[in-house]
Amino acid sequence: MKFSVIIPVYKAENTLKRCVDSLINQNRTDAEIILINDGSPDSCGAICDEYAEIDNRIVVIHQPNSGVSAARNAGLNI
């Protein structure tokens, strides 16, 4: 059974790698990791894209800044 983890991302370049590394290093391989770059002005978008290139469980959505609720909802629409 596959499950999804939705992570809204905004101004988190200092903690994003630690967060994603924690998820991809879990024993479970049936996770889908959805990173929603909510218009972050720092390097979060590039970091998200780098992870998506190296792990096919990671999906990235880039959207204009709309707030955490809109970011979560975008992840639900995949």
Side-chain angles (χ1 to χ4, degrees):
M1 180 174 180
K2 188 174 186 178
F3 70 97
S4 300
V5 179
I6 301 170
I7 304 170
V9 177
Y10 185 78
K11 290 187 178 180
E13 67 184 355
N14 293 329
T15 57
L16 181 58
K17 289 182 180 183
R18 187 175 64 180
C19 174
V20 178
D21 286 342
S22 174
L23 289 168
I24 62 176
N25 290 324
Q26 297 295 315
N27 291 334
R28 296 188 66 159
T29 58
D30 56 345
E32 173 186 44
I33 303 165
I34 304 170
L35 302 174
I36 313 295
N37 175 27
D38 193 33
S40 189
D42 55 14
S43 63
C44 284
I47 293 169
C48 290
D49 289 339
E50 289 171 14
Y51 274 101
E53 287 181 22
I54 62 171
D55 194 317
N56 63 358
R57 296 174 294 169
I58 298 176
V59 176
V60 178
I61 297 174
H62 298 279
Q63 67 180 30
N65 182 256
S66 304
V68 68
S69 295
R72 284 189 197 114
N73 289 338
L76 291 173
N77 292 327
I78 289 186

